[in-house]
Amino acid sequence: MALTDLPLHSHGRKLVVDLSHEHGLALLSLPPLGGLRLQTRARRAVEEAVLSLAGPRATGAEGPPRSQPLLGPFVSRLAPIHPGQVGEEETADLRYVVSGPRGYLRVLVGMVRANRPWRLVPGLSKALAAALATGAVATVNSTIWNLAESLSAPRLVIATVGSVALMIGWLIVDAQLWHRSTEVSREARQRARLYNASTVMTVGIGVLVCYVGLIAINLVWALFILNGQVFASTTRTPLHAAEYWTLSWFVASVATVGGALGSGLESDEAIRAAAYSKREQERRRILQDDGGD
């Protein structure tokens, strides 16, 4: 019984499990199981696969056809999984796949979970240091105070979206995380879209975690360092809770841009290690080596 956190494809469908009763082998791909309750779903899938391999399998005229489902409980628990096409020359004699929008979404969420996007923040030490330094300086800058007080909530939201998008785009472009398929087939294009979507989501979640952390750190720093009288004399606004929140929010956007610039000091290997699982790193390294050959 083999498990992998890489997405597998067969005849244009996302493969969940391949079984070969003749050889007593099974291969389970974890991403199609989704991102929630993964351990429980994986355990049930392994149980069903092992029971199917260990159980009697009729052959010949009296047995069921090759495509007849043998894992009914497995399918009902993990819908929208259904039997898939198996080629005559393939080792597997039973296959389950996912298809359609729900299947695509489950594979995508499973890939993002396998990449563990929450590791992106501690993995980018230089970018995080640049963001924290930028935030610390911006918090005590009177020009930033005036800008923060003059910005409305919609403009603060635009600043947030812009800074986060800049950070995501910079990380993807600078570390060459965008997947370009050398094949022209429809299945290859689908795989490329899936990999790129998982990259954007993985990096995006990591950057959002970083952004929320910056707001919290900036808020604590502002509470400690700011003087109410100096702030009020500069901005002509009393320093209350709303002012602390607005300033910390705006400074987080400024610091995220600083972090994007600081990420340029990181090596591509460090960014990939922070953004992808080890198996995904190996897959991309193999593709890069093949492209170089």
Side-chain angles (χ1 to χ4, degrees):
M1 184 74 203
L3 283 76
T4 178
D5 60 3
L6 290 179
L8 303 178
H9 302 263
S10 174
H11 302 284
R13 304 290 180 88
K14 285 76 177 175
L15 188 147
V16 182
V17 62
D18 258 356
L19 296 101
S20 174
H21 292 79
E22 180 181 355
H23 299 90
L25 300 174
L27 173 63
L28 176 65
S29 177
L30 296 178
L33 302 183
L36 301 176
R37 299 188 299 118
L38 178 60
Q39 292 184 351
T40 300
R41 289 175 171 174
R43 183 172 59 251
R44 290 176 177 175
V46 170
E47 291 174 355
E48 296 293 346
V50 171
L51 288 175
S52 176
L53 292 175
R57 179 172 174 82
T59 57
E62 298 179 356
R66 293 169 61 89
S67 61
Q68 180 175 334
L70 296 179
L71 300 180
F74 173 68
V75 176
S76 62
R77 290 172 181 171
L78 303 176
I81 296 172
H82 54 83
Q85 177 183 353
V86 180
E88 292 294 331
E89 298 181 356
E90 296 186 63
T91 302
D93 50 36
L94 186 60
R95 170 173 297 154
Y96 283 88
V97 297
V98 293
S99 59
R102 277 188 64 196
Y104 180 89
L105 182 60
R106 292 187 67 163
V107 173
L108 181 60
V109 172
M111 292 175 65
V112 172
R113 187 191 188 282
N115 289 334
R116 291 178 289 179
W118 51 87
R119 301 182 312 161
L120 188 66
V121 177
L124 300 177
S125 57
K126 295 184 177 66
L128 184 59
L132 291 174
T134 303
V137 173
T139 302
V140 297
N141 188 292
S142 59
T143 303
I144 298 294
W145 298 351
N146 288 315
L147 283 174
E149 289 304 310
S150 65
L151 291 177
S152 61
R155 289 189 175 184
L156 287 170
V157 172
I158 292 173
T160 298
V161 173
S163 61
V164 169
L166 177 63
M167 182 71 160
I168 294 172
W170 180 266
L171 287 173
I172 292 175
V173 172
D174 185 58
Q176 300 179 355
L177 303 182
W178 197 257
H179 178 77
R180 292 180 175 85
S181 176
T182 57
E183 304 176 24
V184 296
S185 64
R186 179 172 176 269
E187 185 173 342
R189 291 196 301 270
Q190 289 179 343
R191 285 200 301 268
R193 286 195 295 267
L194 184 64
Y195 288 130
N196 289 330
S198 69
T199 296
V200 172
M201 287 187 63
T202 299
V203 177
I205 292 173
V207 171
L208 285 175
V209 171
C210 180
Y211 189 89
V212 173
L214 286 173
I215 290 179
I217 293 173
N218 292 332
L219 181 59
V220 172
W221 175 241
L223 289 170
F224 173 76
I225 202 69
L226 292 185
N227 181 281
Q229 292 181 349
V230 176
F231 185 91
S233 64
T234 302
T235 62
R236 293 180 172 81
T237 304
L239 185 58
H240 297 309
E243 283 67 38
Y244 277 113
W245 167 253
T246 301
L247 178 62
S248 301
W249 184 3
F250 180 61
V251 168
S253 299
V254 176
T256 300
V257 175
L261 299 177
S263 67
L265 302 175
E266 302 279 3
S267 65
D268 293 351
E269 290 75 15
I271 297 177
R272 293 191 186 101
Y276 295 125
S277 66
K278 291 187 179 297
R279 287 287 296 158
E280 180 66 9
Q281 294 176 55
E282 293 174 4
R283 186 192 70 81
R284 288 175 175 261
R285 191 178 303 114
I286 291 173
L287 288 177
Q288 187 176 10
D289 293 342
D290 291 343
D293 296 339

